Amino acid sequence: MSTTSLTSTSTLDSLLPLPAVVLIIGATVCPLLGRVSSRAPVIVAVLACGTASGILALFAPAVYSGRLLVTYLGGWTPKDGAALGIAFAADPFGLSYALAVTVVSLVLTVFTLSMLGGLGRRELGGYACLFLLLAAALVGIALTADAFNMFVWLEVAALASYALTGFFLERPTALEAAFKILVLTTIGTFCVFVGTGILYARYGALNLGQLHHALEPRAGVVGLLALGLVITGYGTKAGLIPFHGWLADAHTAAPGPVSAMFSGLMVSLGVVGIARFAFLVYGRPTPVLGVLMVVGVVSAVVGALLSLGQDDLKRLLAYDTVSQIGVVTAGLAIGTRLGVAGGAYQLLNHTLFKTLLFLCAGTVLHTTGKERLSELGGLARKMPLVAAAFLVGVLAISGLPPLNGYVSVGLIHEGLEETHQYVPLAALLLSQAVTVAALGRATWRVFFGPARGPAPAGESARPGMVAGFLALATLCVAFGAVPELLLDRVLGPAADWLLDAGDYGRSVLAGGGHVTLGPALTFDYLAPKSLLVALATAAVGVLLARRYAGDRVPGGLVTPLRRLHTGSVNDYASFLVAGLLLVCGGLLAGRLG
Amino acid sequence: MVGAVLSLGFLAVLVVALLGLPGDRAPLPAVARQALEMSLPVWHSTEPVNVVVYGVRGFDTFGETFLLLAAVVGVILLARTREPRAGFVGEEEAAGPEQRAEDPGAEGHQEATGQGGEGNEEGTARTAERAEQTGDGGRREAPLTPDDEPLGTPAPERAQGMSVVVRGGIRTAAPLLAVMGLYLVAWGYSPGGGFPGGAVLLGVVLLVYAALGYGAISRVIRPGLLEPLELAGALAICALGLVGLAVAGAFWANWLPVAPAQTIRSGGIVQAFSVAELVEVSTGLTLAVFGLLGMRHDWTPDPDDGDGDGNGNGDNHRGGSGGGR
């Protein structure tokens, strides 16, 4: 390697914190501009997201060819393997997430400009500021390689999300939801803080690479309890069951683009946190994978069942998020190259299709003032474009062939089969069918079924909103059409880094490094088995959806599950603590066994 | 019962983890030793905590700064009053039925109690609040500053009236405290710096407010002044980091000359960061506190506003305030 290319990569390294900083500068300007005009802050938000995506794209070629870009903030590099300074490191998994955050935020801010541009000046200034701070926090957590810095960004994301949840103050549900997300996220971040503090006190390290070396060869009881606390904290942000109490309320009350941001991007932050600690710091010992598999599968099934029973469109989508994040977690918990790549793929796909669906739901609410399945109907004629976009999203989630969900869900199923985990496989197939049923029911009742009640007031979608739908729907198709390219260039390398904790740790401390890329991952697009499974689960789902297409409410298993969700924040906090105890118990039991 | 079990379980997890930690006589971790060793030779600072917080790990504090910004903007956003909006807003429309579901008595009360409003406490409270907002409440004869108030008047006690002892005491203490806050920033007794300094300044403002009333601080405590100041502080912090990236090749690198130890400029960007942080934190905290103090939180649609687009539902879901008029 020549010296010129060395210097050029080292300047590239030093740009790593810049995307987050650009978003933050945009956020700082927004409240000031809010004093001048109502659209100016949102335009600044669009520009900031665009600039940040551009800078992140500069890192892509190097990172996706297997290189780890590392920089130490302020140039305080480690001495004798001990790092006091904060490291930023771009691995393919983190970079893909960061890119997803900035690109989708760009779409969301354009959408906001078009949909909410008529709101008041000061409120849009605050809105744009918090939106950008949230995006900056997500980019920061994706790229940092320091446990305490992760906590800082987690907190920024948490604080930005509270007021965004309560944005529409005229809705009594908004303040209530803001209170719930405040209480539960605070407990979650407390767990992360205590977990990180324990790790520092016991192992004397905050840098992820240094922590990994300190924890080798085997984490003790204290280490596992710290991991339990950290998984609980990030699991709360991820909305995994039983940490999910805040999720449905917050998603329902927030403005459309914000619920899209919450569901598509903010929730994934929890998965990124869990993946960083379970894989890169602890080197995925078996008990961790077991616990994550249980949590993931339970979330997938219960989330789907809860979603089937909802009457509120956004609430239905919110519980489906619980289910999808469960699928992602289960995929990662397989722990093989195929499974991890599938989980990461599903994470990106979930960002695309769930953002699309929430934007559609937000549009329906914003233009009709209604969001209940029992009050809506026949909207396909009034807003054909929204209906088409919603349908694309639903087909993608259902895992039907030309769309992206087909590939990622197929990979996860293959990974489970490969490792002979048939019980989780059966559970995921069940959750997939129920998901199809829940979303199919929603699609039918909102867009295609008979119209109910008087024709709603309101207006149709505006150009920026249409652009958002088009961009996301196109990405959904694209991510399904070129699986080989994505697996080879993006998700294969992502899995390679996540599975090679030793190499990651060494490279972070050394200020950069390479990983040897494994053989190309393949997905047999036209394999009869995966096609058959996809079509069969979809068919079962459609049959189930037909059953509930009328006014019949799903009973059976769904009723007791719904009864557990009392809406009381005390109960949700109890679920969270019970989850913490179960996770810690599972980790310790796995260590003994 | 379940709650007790869960709490004890949580406690057990924390206690087990705590017992597994090294005791206070254990050797310091290498990272902490590094911080102590580099403080004086590299930064010329006798305050290692400051060096870690604003120097070596300054990027964490950079994040915390914007955590504070998120909190302040969040408070202001949640404490805001209505603003005129253009176009159809479906969320507003959806709010009507939600508020009715939340407060089903409101409609019935309006009809049942008629003009009396006796049994409708919320309604009367709301009316009183509206009266206060529009300024026809009765506090016109209150003097401008409490110093103009004659001593020992047997009148009903006013909220502003503090005794001369309190006023004199705070007049003495406030400047001292303000100087102390600035000292924390300038000389940084560990843990010093902009964050604690800013909190002390907020304390000064609140003391003056409590003793001398809003009149004494109204010229300074204006959002029109504080908000630009706060954001200027935040932008200055970003600029400090970016100059480091441009000049020294790494974001948050030290690019200012390091003066000899125990002078006001020893510590390079540590001091500059501290000052910018002071501006940001003191103004931000003040904005947040006064945002909460001045919060008038009634988002029930007001009939007098005739809020443009809400004609579909604006007639029936407001509280019983109509009864009082």
Side-chain angles (χ1 to χ4, degrees), chain A residues 486-497:
Chain A
L486 282 168
L487 281 174
D488 192 33
R489 307 249 80 210
V490 179
L491 300 153
D496 286 327
W497 274 115

Side-chain angles (χ1 to χ4, degrees), chain A residues 77-274:
Chain A
T77 46
K79 269 190 209 138
D80 308 324
L84 175 61
I86 299 163
F88 256 46
D91 68 325
F93 180 63
L95 183 69
S96 308
Y97 174 55
L99 268 170
V101 169
T102 51
V103 171
V104 172
S105 296
L106 179 63
V107 172
L108 292 180
T109 42
V110 171
F111 194 90
T112 305
L113 186 63
S114 177
M115 175 168 131
L116 301 175
L119 297 189
R121 291 185 302 182
R122 305 299 305 275
E123 58 188 1
L124 267 187
Y127 171 99
C129 171
L130 292 177
F131 194 93
L132 284 180
L133 283 177
L134 180 52
L138 301 184
V139 171
I141 212 161
L143 297 182
T144 187
D146 186 282
F148 189 76
N149 202 233
M150 282 178 79
F151 168 75
V152 170
W153 294 121
L154 172 71
E155 281 271 78
V156 175
L159 273 165
S161 65
Y162 304 151
L164 283 176
T165 305
F167 181 77
F168 278 114
L169 283 170
E170 55 268 71
R171 301 181 67 179
T173 49
L175 268 183
E176 189 186 334
F179 179 68
K180 282 183 197 166
I181 186 175
L182 172 80
V183 171
L184 289 175
T185 312
T186 305
I187 301 177
T189 46
F190 171 76
C191 288
V192 173
F193 181 73
V194 173
T196 312
I198 291 174
L199 281 178
Y200 176 73
R202 178 72 183 74
Y203 301 98
L206 290 172
N207 183 291
L208 296 189
Q210 196 192 337
L211 261 180
H212 175 67
H213 290 310
L215 277 159
E216 269 181 337
R218 192 155 175 248
V221 173
V222 176
L224 285 179
L225 287 181
L227 180 61
L229 285 164
V230 168
I231 287 182
T232 303
Y234 284 107
T236 306
K237 209 69 188 155
L240 287 167
I241 289 177
F243 315 120
H244 65 292
W246 60 273
L247 193 139
D249 283 22
H251 282 62
T252 311
V258 173
S259 1
M261 173 85 157
F262 280 7
S263 179
L265 299 169
M266 188 179 81
V267 161
S268 320
L269 140 77
V271 178
V272 172
I274 290 177

Side-chain angles (χ1 to χ4, degrees), chain A residues 14-15 17-18 21 24-25 28-29 31-32 35 72-76 79 82-86 88 115 118-123 126-127 129-130 133 146 148-149 152-153 155-156 159-160 163 166-173 175-176 190-191 194 198 200-202 204-206 210 221-222 225 229 255-256 362 365-369 371 457-459 462 574 577-578 580-581 584, chain B residues 2-3 5-7 9-10 12-14 16-22 29-32 34-35 38 42-43 52 55-60 62-64 66-71 73-96 98-99 102 223-225 227-228 230-232 234-235 238 242 245 249-254 297 299:
Chain A
S14 62
L15 294 184
L18 213 50
V21 174
I24 280 180
I25 293 177
T28 313
V29 181
L32 276 186
R35 306 181 82 90
Y72 277 84
L73 274 302
W76 301 104
K79 269 190 209 138
L84 175 61
I86 299 163
F88 256 46
M115 175 168 131
L119 297 189
R121 291 185 302 182
R122 305 299 305 275
E123 58 188 1
Y127 171 99
C129 171
L130 292 177
L133 283 177
D146 186 282
F148 189 76
N149 202 233
V152 170
W153 294 121
E155 281 271 78
V156 175
L159 273 165
F167 181 77
F168 278 114
L169 283 170
E170 55 268 71
R171 301 181 67 179
T173 49
L175 268 183
E176 189 186 334
F190 171 76
C191 288
V194 173
I198 291 174
Y200 176 73
R202 178 72 183 74
L206 290 172
Q210 196 192 337
V221 173
V222 176
L225 287 181
L229 285 164
L365 172 62
H366 185 75
T367 55
T368 65
E371 56 178 351
E459 44 188 72
R462 296 176 206 146
S574 314
V577 174
L580 167 75
L581 297 181
C584 287
Chain B
V2 181
V5 170
L6 289 175
S7 306
F10 202 170
V13 168
L14 295 180
V16 169
L18 197 66
L19 291 179
L21 296 184
V31 171
Q34 250 182 53
M38 80 193 320
V42 179
W43 292 89
V52 172
V56 185
R57 289 187 68 95
F59 193 67
D60 276 341
F62 175 80
E64 300 279 357
F66 293 93
L67 174 101
L68 183 80
L69 182 70
V73 173
V75 166
I76 293 176
L77 199 62
L78 289 182
R80 74 191 194 271
T81 44
R82 272 173 184 280
E83 271 184 283
R85 290 171 172 173
F88 180 85
V89 182
E91 285 86 348
E92 257 171 35
E93 195 83 353
E98 276 174 20
Q99 284 184 343
E102 199 81 353
L225 176 71
E227 273 180 30
E230 186 205 3
L231 300 172
L235 280 179
C238 293
L242 286 176
L245 178 62
F251 192 79
W252 216 257
N254 183 30
H297 219 148
W299 274 69

Side-chain angles (χ1 to χ4, degrees), chain A residues 37-58:
Chain A
S37 111
S38 66
R39 286 204 165 79
V42 190
I43 291 172
V44 165
V46 172
L47 293 177
C49 291
T51 317
S53 337
I55 300 171
L56 283 171
L58 293 179

